[in-house]
Amino acid sequence: MNISIKSLLLICGMTSTSLALAHGGNNRFMHYFDTNKDGVVSQAEFKAAMQARFNKMDSNHDGTVSAAEFRHYIQQRRLQHKQALLKQMDSNGDGKVSESEYVAYMSKRAQARFTRMDKNHDGVLSASELQWRFRHGHHSRKGLFHKLDSNGDGVISQAESRTAWMAWFKRLDRNGDKVISAEEISQFHHYRDPRKTRK
């Protein structure tokens, strides 16, 4: 089962780009999963987060997530994201986004994105930096349900959900000590970026 970090964050409910782990959200990852704030994410913490999210998706509490439940969950998360985005843009709190508020918000966001893309911090974007952005900066959610539904029976069981989550726990736990540290999250990003492995 090949589930990406962004897919897992989608399942966790972190659909905003600004919160996405793939954009360097090590702190966000630790904040979400490290519930006892000891600086690492244990398997127990990871499993608890998985179970809590599965329970939210399983709206009829029958122990499985149907395609309709999954669709509804994603729609609700997107609605919440849009509401949160509106709140961020609406700097004067009047419930509307003016042209000046929109331009100010997008300008700030563009600057932050440029800073992320400019990996060597030289103030310009090279072809390789742009190529990395367009190759890895967007994630298609199409087929996510079918990836999670590994046996193709039309529902996501707790076992399938657990398998997907624990497969990612093992990939993130690079030293195999059954906890995920902030350093391992950083190492994962380094490993995922092919430009950092070139000689």
Side-chain angles (χ1 to χ4, degrees):
M1 182 179 295
N2 183 18
I3 306 296
S4 75
I5 277 286
K6 281 194 173 180
S7 298
L8 264 179
L9 292 178
L10 174 63
I11 296 166
C12 291
M14 294 183 284
T15 56
S16 170
T17 303
S18 63
L19 301 182
L21 177 61
H23 290 301
N26 300 12
N27 292 337
R28 183 61 183 178
F29 180 93
M30 299 305 290
H31 174 78
Y32 185 83
F33 289 103
D34 181 20
T35 53
N36 66 3
K37 307 305 176 189
D38 64 352
V40 295
V41 177
S42 67
Q43 282 191 348
E45 288 172 316
F46 206 75
K47 286 178 180 178
M50 177 276 295
Q51 188 62 55
R53 193 55 55 192
F54 185 90
N55 291 343
K56 285 189 177 183
M57 290 191 289
D58 180 20
S59 57
N60 66 2
H61 309 295
D62 67 351
T64 61
V65 177
S66 68
E69 286 175 315
F70 189 80
R71 205 163 39 243
H72 176 73
Y73 174 79
I74 297 301
Q75 288 171 349
Q76 290 300 112
R77 295 308 307 182
R78 286 175 175 164
L79 177 60
Q80 290 172 12
H81 171 59
K82 289 176 182 177
Q83 291 170 339
L85 185 59
L86 174 66
K87 189 174 181 179
Q88 290 174 19
M89 289 184 174
D90 181 20
S91 58
N92 65 7
D94 67 354
K96 298 175 288 186
V97 177
S98 67
E99 181 180 355
S100 61
E101 286 174 322
Y102 178 82
V103 170
Y105 175 84
M106 294 307 292
S107 177
K108 184 177 179 181
R109 185 173 176 179
Q111 182 60 54
R113 183 171 294 176
F114 183 92
T115 301
R116 285 196 303 267
M117 293 168 66
D118 183 18
K119 298 298 184 181
N120 61 4
H121 309 294
D122 64 353
V124 295
L125 298 178
S126 66
S128 62
E129 286 169 329
L130 284 169
Q131 182 181 19
W132 174 254
R133 169 65 187 171
F134 290 119
R135 183 180 299 167
H136 299 279
H138 301 280
H139 172 69
S140 172
R141 293 166 187 158
K142 184 178 181 182
L144 176 56
F145 179 86
H146 297 293
K147 288 182 180 179
L148 291 167
D149 177 23
S150 58
N151 65 3
D153 66 353
V155 296
I156 302 168
S157 68
Q158 291 202 40
E160 287 171 321
S161 178
R162 190 179 304 113
T163 297
W165 279 72
M166 295 315 298
W168 269 105
F169 185 94
K170 290 176 182 177
R171 288 193 66 182
L172 292 169
D173 180 20
R174 297 179 65 80
N175 63 5
D177 65 353
K178 300 190 186 305
V179 296
I180 300 169
S181 66
E183 182 182 358
E184 284 174 315
I185 298 299
S186 296
Q187 289 174 351
F188 181 84
H189 291 309
H190 184 90
Y191 174 76
R192 290 277 292 179
D193 187 341
R195 294 168 304 145
K196 296 178 180 178
T197 61
R198 290 174 185 159
K199 302 296 184 181

